[in-house]
Amino acid sequence: MVMSTGAGGAQPAAGKFPSRPLTLVVPYPAGGSNDNAARLLARKLSDALGQPVVVDNRSGASGTLGAEHVARAAPDGYTLLYASSSFLTASVLRARPVYDPLKDFVPVARVSRAQFVITVGKHVLAKTLQDLIAQARTHPGKLSYGSSGIGSINHFATEAFAESAGIRLTHVPYRGMTPAMQDLAGGHVDIVLGSVPSTMAQVKSGRVRALAVTGESAAPQLPGLPIAASAGAPGFTFDAWSGVLAPAGTPQALIDLLGTEVALALKDPALRAAFEAEGASLAPMGSAEFSRILATELQRFRQLAQKADIRAE
C-alpha cells in the first residue's frame, strides 16, 4: 500500500497503486523521436506496474496543449507527461503562458539527454569551430543559421552558442529540420545546430561539414568529432532532455514509486540501444535533482529569449 503525504504527515492511500491504466501524454505527433521514446518507456513501465501505460498524443501549439492537459489533470499519479526541453521554451515564448513549468508540475524523473551537432555548409570556408567563430567575429551578422522554427530548441541552442562565442549570426527559420538541412547542403544558409539524427545523413554523405558537438562528451554516432567546449567555445554546452512529469500536488509517495520504476526501466540494455539509435543517451535523474535542472534551464531560456528577442510566431 502506498503512502501519501498530507498536512498530518504520512497517511495510507486508499487501495493499491496502480489499480487501473495510466496515461502518458506526449505533446507531439505520433511517429517522432519523442513519441518513439515515450512508447518504449511506456511498455517497460506497463510490465513493471502491472497495468497498461497508454500513450496519448496531444500535439499542437508547440507542445503546450498536451502540457496544459496534464497540468489540469487530477494529481493522482494516473496522468503523466513525457516532456522535452521545449516544455520550457514554449512557456518562455508566450506573454501569457498556459502553464507554469515549475508551479504546475512536479518532476518524476529525467530520462535522456541529446546533444546537438554544429554543422556548416560546404561553401563555408571554416574547417574547424575556431575558424567559424573567427569568421563570424570578422563579419558580424553575415553568417546565417537555419533552425526548425522560431522558438525551437535548436533556435535557442544556436543563440546560446552565439552568446557564448561572442558572435552575431542571422537567423533563418524553417518549418522543420529537413528543409533547414537541405538548404544548408544547398548553400542557402551557413550553419545549422541540429540533433544527431537530423544531421547524420547529410554529414555522412559529405554534403555538410560537422565541426563539433555541444554536449559534455563525444557523440558515439560521430566518433572523432570534438566537443565545442574544447574546440573553440570554452564553457559552452547545450543539450536537450526528456523526462516524465506529473501534475503539481501528486503525493510524494507516488512520485517516488514512479521515479523508481522509471530508473529501473532505464537499466534495460535494449532500451538504451533504442534511445541511442534516436541520438539520445539515457541520463536517469531523480525528482529533486531534476527539479533543480528545470529551474536553472528555465532561467537560462528566459535570459536567452530576452537578449536574442526570441518571440512566439
Side-chain angles (χ1 to χ4, degrees):
M1 184 174 291
V2 300
M3 306 293 288
S4 62
T5 303
Q11 308 244 344
K16 181 184 177 183
F17 178 88
S19 59
R20 55 185 171 87
L22 288 75
T23 299
L24 183 59
V25 174
V26 178
Y28 315 105
S33 58
N34 284 300
D35 176 64
N36 293 338
R39 291 178 185 277
L40 292 168
L41 180 62
R43 284 197 289 271
K44 293 296 296 182
L45 292 178
S46 296
D47 294 340
L49 295 171
Q51 288 285 348
V53 177
V54 180
V55 172
D56 180 10
N57 295 95
R58 289 180 177 260
S59 60
S62 301
T64 60
L65 289 183
E68 182 182 13
H69 174 77
V70 175
R72 294 180 176 181
D76 55 10
Y78 285 96
T79 304
L80 305 170
L81 178 70
Y82 190 84
S84 68
S85 295
S86 60
F87 165 77
L88 298 179
T89 58
S91 72
V92 164
L93 294 176
R94 297 180 179 275
R96 296 180 180 177
V98 295
Y99 61 83
D100 185 310
L102 304 183
K103 294 180 180 179
D104 294 336
F105 298 86
V106 56
V108 173
R110 189 177 70 178
V111 172
S112 70
R113 297 170 67 182
Q115 56 184 321
F116 295 87
V117 186
I118 302 175
T119 58
V120 296
K122 297 298 288 291
H123 64 283
V124 177
L125 297 178
K127 298 295 190 297
T128 67
L129 190 61
Q130 284 183 320
D131 291 344
L132 181 67
I133 293 171
Q135 185 177 345
R137 286 175 178 168
T138 303
H139 305 285
K142 183 176 180 181
L143 292 176
S144 62
Y145 73 91
S147 79
S148 56
I150 294 174
S152 61
I153 189 62
N154 61 316
H155 183 187
F156 276 87
T158 313
E159 287 297 339
F161 164 62
E163 180 186 48
S164 176
I167 58 178
R168 183 161 56 87
L169 305 171
T170 297
H171 181 214
V172 181
Y174 290 85
R175 293 190 178 276
M177 281 302 298
T178 299
M181 290 301 298
Q182 288 173 343
D183 266 13
L184 181 70
H188 303 295
V189 290
D190 303 311
I191 305 165
V192 169
L193 268 72
S195 67
V196 173
S198 67
T199 58
M200 282 280 286
Q202 300 281 19
V203 170
K204 290 197 169 183
S205 71
R207 298 186 68 199
V208 305
R209 185 183 305 118
L211 301 183
V213 291
T214 65
E216 297 175 350
S217 58
Q221 301 89 343
L222 295 168
L225 196 62
I227 62 173
S230 63
F236 172 69
T237 60
F238 198 102
D239 55 30
W241 53 263
S242 74
V244 179
L245 298 97
T250 301
Q252 187 61 47
L254 296 185
I255 296 296
D256 292 344
L257 183 153
L258 291 166
T260 297
E261 294 300 342
V262 170
L264 289 173
L266 299 185
K267 293 181 180 294
D268 183 357
L271 196 66
R272 180 177 297 277
F275 269 79
E276 288 179 352
E278 294 285 348
S281 299
L282 293 183
M285 179 182 286
S287 177
E289 190 176 0
F290 190 22
S291 182
R292 289 191 289 271
I293 292 290
L294 294 184
T296 299
E297 288 202 353
L298 184 62
Q299 182 63 22
R300 183 187 193 187
F301 291 147
R302 282 174 175 162
Q303 292 173 345
L304 279 170
Q306 184 176 16
K307 291 180 180 178
D309 195 25
I310 303 174
R311 304 179 188 181
E313 294 180 274

